[in-house]
Amino acid sequence: LKLARESGYSWIIHIDSDELIYSNQPLKKLLANVSQDIDFVIFKPLEAVPDVKEYTHIFDKITLFKEIPRLRYKYLAYLLGCKKAFFHGEYFRGHMIGKSATRTDRNNLVIRPHFPIACDNRTLHSCIIKNAKILHFDCCGFDRWQAKWLIRYAVPTDFRMRQNRQEQLKMFAKQYEKGTMEKLNKLYKRMHCL
């Protein structure tokens, strides 16, 4: 945040290496139109859906994305027999929070992966940017999926994972400990592929 301020930037955004920002207009223009009383803006996520086992270049080959469904659509999907689209009741496998852009002129902030927090416990004001999304390429390809979960399996950390992510780790660990690639492949396909 300090470096962004010193460099003359108005906004700072945390984007992971498996994410892209998609916008139907220049990001600079979108952010210029945000009211001054807004401390940070939120980009809602779209989750990439792989349709093959492995990719050389995920950013230019994956074209299918799912969005967070409204509750009524989830219910309708269950009624229509689309239960395999859900994993332990959830449609998304990765994060559902999205990412944010934070103004650099705000004091006493800590930039975190998904949104900033105020060090002095004040309330921060935000809004959702409707014309831009985070494209999240979570676990696209078996090798990327296995590498991601192997790290979390081998080096347990105290970072917070929502319950569904914890279940994914448990299922990965169970199949990994059995030592069969066939079962790991089945689990990957069950969790991520069409």
Side-chain angles (χ1 to χ4, degrees):
L1 187 57
K2 183 181 177 208
L3 182 61
R5 278 187 197 125
E6 290 170 356
S7 300
Y9 295 111
S10 302
W11 296 86
I12 188 167
I13 305 172
H14 182 288
I15 302 295
D16 292 336
S17 61
D18 66 348
E19 298 171 331
L20 296 174
I21 294 180
Y22 175 80
S23 176
N24 63 1
Q25 58 183 287
L27 206 50
K28 185 175 182 177
K29 183 178 177 184
L30 281 174
L31 295 174
N33 291 326
V34 174
S35 170
Q36 279 298 319
D37 64 334
I38 299 295
D39 300 302
F40 68 98
V41 296
I42 300 165
F43 301 97
K44 298 302 273 179
L46 296 176
E47 187 172 86
V49 180
D51 56 354
V52 297
K53 184 181 172 192
E54 204 51 65
Y55 292 91
T56 306
H57 303 287
I58 58 172
F59 292 144
D60 68 349
K61 297 297 180 193
I62 295 178
T63 58
L64 300 173
F65 293 88
K66 53 187 170 178
E67 61 184 319
I68 299 171
R70 293 183 181 158
L71 192 55
R72 67 179 172 213
Y73 294 129
K74 284 175 71 172
Y75 180 70
L76 183 60
Y78 264 90
L79 287 177
L80 293 174
C82 300
K83 294 178 181 148
K84 286 199 171 203
F86 297 88
F87 180 78
H88 288 267
E90 287 195 17
Y91 188 56
F92 265 38
R93 307 304 187 260
H95 66 77
M96 295 171 40
I97 299 171
K99 291 297 179 93
S100 62
T102 305
R103 289 186 188 276
T104 60
D105 63 356
R106 302 310 200 251
N107 293 320
N108 297 316
L109 292 181
V110 174
I111 303 297
R112 297 184 50 187
H114 297 282
F115 53 85
I117 58 170
C119 298
D120 53 9
N121 293 322
R122 76 181 184 281
T123 300
L124 297 178
H125 301 284
S126 65
C127 68
I128 295 171
I129 294 285
K130 293 186 175 147
N131 296 326
K133 304 280 187 201
I134 288 293
L135 304 181
H136 188 197
F137 294 82
D138 181 51
C139 298
C140 293
F142 177 79
D143 290 342
R144 286 179 180 88
W145 173 78
Q146 185 177 20
K148 182 175 197 159
W149 291 108
L150 267 176
I151 290 167
R152 291 177 176 183
Y153 171 80
V155 185
T157 60
D158 62 352
F159 72 88
R160 294 180 196 106
M161 283 193 287
R162 72 183 199 285
Q163 185 65 36
N164 191 273
R165 291 293 257 186
Q166 291 173 23
E167 287 299 318
Q168 290 178 54
L169 178 56
K170 285 179 195 172
M171 292 184 80
F172 173 84
K174 182 179 175 183
Q175 297 308 325
Y176 179 73
E177 289 167 2
K178 288 181 181 179
T180 64
M181 280 302 225
E182 182 182 335
K183 290 193 176 187
L184 277 176
N185 272 301
K186 278 186 174 180
L187 181 60
Y188 167 70
K189 287 178 184 175
R190 167 63 186 97
M191 284 187 187
H192 293 281
C193 292
L194 287 177

